[in-house]
Amino acid sequence: MPLSLAQLASAGVRFDQTDPVLIHAAAELRTHAALSRSVSSGAGAVNITFVAGNARTDGFELLVEPDQVTVTGQSARGVLNGVYSLLERLGLLWVRPGADGVRFIPGRELAEGRYTEAPDFPRRTFILGNDALHDEWREWLEFASRNRLNSVFFHDTPPSVPSRNGAARPLTAEAIAADGKGWMFERWDSDGPEIARECARRGMVLQFGGHHLPALLERGLFGAHPDWFPQRDGGRDARYNLCVSSTGGIAEVRQRAGEFFARFGGADIYHLWADDIVGGGWCACADCASMTPSDQALRATNVLAEELQGAIPGAAVAHLAYHDTIAPPRAYEPGPNVSALYAPRNRNYAFAINDPACPRNTEGHFNELLGLAETFKARPESLAVFEYYSDAILYKWMDPPNLALLPADARAYRGAGVFDFGDLAVSPRPWAGPAWHAWWFARCAWSAHAQPETELARFCDASFGGDGPRVADLYAKLDQAYRKVLDLGELERIPRHDVLDFSDEPRQALSAKASQLASAAADMNAAVQGLPGSGARLTAGLRTDLRVQLAMVNHLAERIGAWDAALDGRASEAEARIAQARTYLQSVNDWDHEYGRPAFANLSRGMLRSASWHTERIARLIAN
C-alpha cells in the first residue's frame, strides 16, 4: 500500500537518541507530518527507523515496506537528507526561507520500494553574503538544510571593521549607508556560538570570513614600518595587502591572525582573502617581484594556516583564486590545512563554464580551475567553487533563472573534481518572491543532471498553485532574455569595473551589446504581460520582485543604447535614451526606498550611486 504523509503524523520513530542530528531529523519529520493532520488517510500509522553510518558522505536509502519505513544514511546527515527526501516525495517543498516558504501539496503518495540517492558534490555550500541575510541566518540556515545543502558560509560584504569600540549598528538606512561597512563581526560576537550549535545539530560545515587579509596589517603602521607594505612604482604604498617577503610584516599578520581565530572560533573553514581589486594589489619589491599574485597570496595564506593549526586544529583556511590570483600558484605548495577556493566572477554567465563556444570561460577561467585542481591534487577534498548564481550585486539587482546554465556548470565542476560547490547570495535588496535562484542551486548541487523543466514545474506548482504553469512559462521566457543580458561577447573589461558595466572596446562589440540589451528588455517587458493577477502571497511577491528586475534591465538597455548612440554621433537619440535611463534608475531607487530594509543600505545606496555615475559619464560624453 502506498505511503502518505498523514501516516507519518503519529508514527513511532526509533533512532540513537544521543545523536543530535538524528534528534533534529526526528523533530523535522514530526513537525512536517503534522501539516497533514487535516488530510484523511485510510491507512494506519507506520513505524520509522533511522540507521546512521559513520561515513563522511551524506547519501541515503529509503526502504518503504508495509507498516515500516527505514531511513539509512551514510552518516547522520545522510539520515536527515533522507527525511527531507521522504517529505518531498510526500508533498513538501521549501521554496523560500521562513514559514511562507513551507509548501504542502496534499495527495502525494510513495509506493513501497527501495529509493537510493547520493549527492554529486560531497559538500554543498550556501553563502550568506551580507548583513541583511545574516540578520535572517536562522531562516536561511533552515532553508539550506531542508534543501539538502550541508554547508553554510558567513561571508562579509562589505568587509566589517575589526574594532568599533562598542558602537552599535545604526538603525536607519541613511546612517548604515554613511558608515558603508559590514557588521558581520558583531553578529558573530553575539550569535556565533548559537550559529555553531545550529550547524552542528544539522551536520553542516560552518565557514566564516571574507576579504580580511588587509585588516590583519593595520594601515596606520605604514609610517613606522613602510617595508611591511607593498612596493609599487618604485616606492612603498600603504594601500592593499602586504609585502609577503617582509619578516616584520609577516610576523604582524601572524599575530593578528591568531587574535582573529580566537575571536571568531567555531568555524570549520576560514576565509581571510586579499583586497577585492583587479591589478596593482601585490608587491613588486626585489624579493617579491619574481612571485605571481597567486604565489604571493598562497605564501600569505600558508602563514595564516600555520597559525590556524595551532589555534583550531582540524580547521582549514582558503586560498582564493580570484581576479589577479585566478591562475594556479607556481612557486609555492599549499599547506596541509589550506583549501582552494575558485571564484570566476569575470566569466560570461550566458554560457556554461566549459562551453567551447565561449573562450572567455574555457580559456580564461575553466583552464585555471583545472590547473588549481592539479596544485591541490594531494588534497582532493579541498577543491571548492565559489559561484555567483544568487549574487544580485554582480547581476545588478536582477535575478536570472539560469535554467540550463546551472546544471551544465555543475556537470563541468563535478568532472573537474570539485568537492565543495558553493553559491554566493549577496544582495542590495530583498528577494520578494520565492527563492528560485537558491532552490535551483540546491537541486543542481545534489544532482548535476537535474532537469530544468521538471524541477521548474515542481517549484512553480508548490509556490503558485493554479498559477504554476503560467509562471513556469514566464521563468522560461525570462531565462532566454537574460542570456542576452549576460552575454559579454567580445567586450573587454574595464579595470576596476564590474562584469555588467560593459565597455566600448572593441567598438563594434558595444553596438552588438546595445542591440542585445534592447532585444532582451523587449522580451522581458512582453513576458510579464502574461503574469497571473492572483493575489496569492507568493505570486504577489514575484510581481514585486519583477518590478525591480524590469526597471534595471530597461535602465541598462537605455544606458548602453545611449552610449552606442553617443559614440556614433547620434546626439538626439543618445539624449532621449539617457533620459529614459535616468527614469528607470529612479524606479530602482524608489523600489529600494519602498522595500529595502536598512540592513541592505550599505550595499544598495552605493550601487545606486555607481549606476548614476555610469549614467552621467555617458551624459557627459553626449555633451562633448
Side-chain angles (χ1 to χ4, degrees), residues 195-516:
I195 291 168
R197 286 193 300 271
E198 291 302 312
C199 283
R201 76 187 187 99
R202 291 168 176 80
M204 299 182 77
V205 169
L206 179 55
Q207 307 188 41
F208 179 88
H211 291 280
H212 298 306
L213 175 63
L216 300 181
L217 185 61
E218 171 58 45
R219 303 295 114 172
L221 295 171
F222 180 76
H225 303 284
D227 58 303
W228 293 4
F229 295 82
Q231 180 175 304
R232 301 186 187 93
D233 300 322
R236 296 288 174 172
D237 190 338
R239 296 172 303 162
Y240 315 133
N241 303 321
L242 76 156
C243 172
V244 299
S245 298
S246 167
T247 302
I250 289 294
E252 176 70 14
V253 166
R254 187 185 296 276
Q255 180 176 340
R256 299 303 169 219
E259 295 170 359
F260 185 96
F261 298 136
R263 178 180 176 185
F264 303 118
D268 302 291
I269 302 173
Y270 287 88
H271 301 265
L272 291 100
W273 307 330
D275 274 302
D276 190 2
I277 61 170
V278 179
W282 294 97
C283 185
C285 75
D287 291 326
C288 291
S290 64
M291 288 186 274
T292 67
S294 299
D295 288 322
Q296 293 189 44
L298 182 55
R299 186 172 184 179
T301 302
N302 281 342
V303 170
L304 303 175
E306 291 169 5
E307 195 64 29
L308 179 62
Q309 180 60 32
I312 310 176
V317 64
H319 163 76
L320 179 64
Y322 172 72
H323 286 342
D324 291 1
T325 64
I326 193 77
R330 298 184 306 197
Y332 290 93
E333 295 293 326
N337 60 332
V338 175
S339 60
L341 185 65
Y342 164 84
R345 185 179 183 86
N346 301 318
R347 60 172 285 192
N348 188 329
Y349 279 94
F351 296 86
I353 190 67
N354 67 339
D355 189 333
C358 181
R360 182 193 299 264
N361 285 357
T362 55
E363 298 171 14
H365 288 88
F366 193 64
N367 282 348
E368 306 291 18
L369 172 65
L370 298 178
L372 193 67
E374 180 66 21
T375 300
F376 281 79
K377 65 182 179 181
R379 297 184 63 237
E381 294 186 1
S382 70
L383 186 60
V385 163
F386 182 99
E387 265 292 2
Y388 295 85
Y389 310 117
S390 298
D391 182 0
I393 294 180
L394 183 150
Y395 288 147
K396 295 191 180 301
W397 299 68
M398 298 180 289
D399 191 9
N402 290 323
L403 295 180
L405 178 129
L406 214 161
D409 275 0
R411 291 190 293 273
Y413 287 139
R414 183 174 183 265
V418 169
F419 183 85
D420 182 345
F421 189 22
D423 176 27
L424 174 65
V426 60
S427 181
R429 51 93 163 189
W431 291 289
W436 164 260
H437 55 93
W439 190 91
W440 181 222
F441 166 76
R443 291 302 174 281
C444 295
W446 183 266
S447 172
H449 294 280
Q451 296 299 308
E453 296 82 2
T454 300
E455 296 300 336
L456 180 62
R458 193 159 71 105
F459 177 86
C460 290
D461 184 28
S463 300
F464 307 111
D467 293 336
R470 293 174 66 188
V471 177
D473 181 65
L474 170 64
Y475 271 109
K477 291 176 179 176
L478 293 175
D479 187 66
Q480 291 300 311
Y482 266 123
R483 303 275 68 77
K484 301 176 188 178
V485 175
L486 299 174
D487 188 4
L488 302 178
E490 300 300 319
L491 287 170
E492 299 172 6
R493 184 163 182 247
I494 300 175
R496 308 294 173 88
H497 287 214
D498 210 351
V499 177
L500 298 185
D501 291 332
F502 305 117
S503 79
D504 58 1
E505 295 291 338
R507 175 68 187 87
Q508 62 272 22
L510 177 63
S511 294
K513 187 70 254 176
S515 178
Q516 271 188 316

Side-chain angles (χ1 to χ4, degrees), residues 27 42 89 130 134 141 175 284 315 375 406 456 495 514 563 612:
R89 293 166 189 269
N130 57 293
H134 300 154
L141 180 63
T375 300
L406 214 161
L456 180 62
W563 194 356
S612 179

Side-chain angles (χ1 to χ4, degrees), residues 572-594:
S572 59
E573 178 188 341
E575 289 173 354
R577 300 198 72 167
I578 209 70
Q580 285 294 324
R582 290 180 180 128
T583 299
Y584 283 120
L585 185 58
Q586 184 59 50
S587 296
V588 178
N589 185 75
D590 293 343
W591 195 98
D592 175 64
H593 282 76
E594 183 174 358

Side-chain angles (χ1 to χ4, degrees), residues 536-558:
R537 185 164 182 177
L538 290 185
T539 306
L542 175 63
R543 296 180 71 88
T544 298
D545 203 88
L546 286 169
R547 276 178 51 192
V548 73
Q549 293 186 56
L550 289 176
M552 182 52 76
V553 77
N554 281 282
H555 165 75
L556 285 176
E558 297 296 340

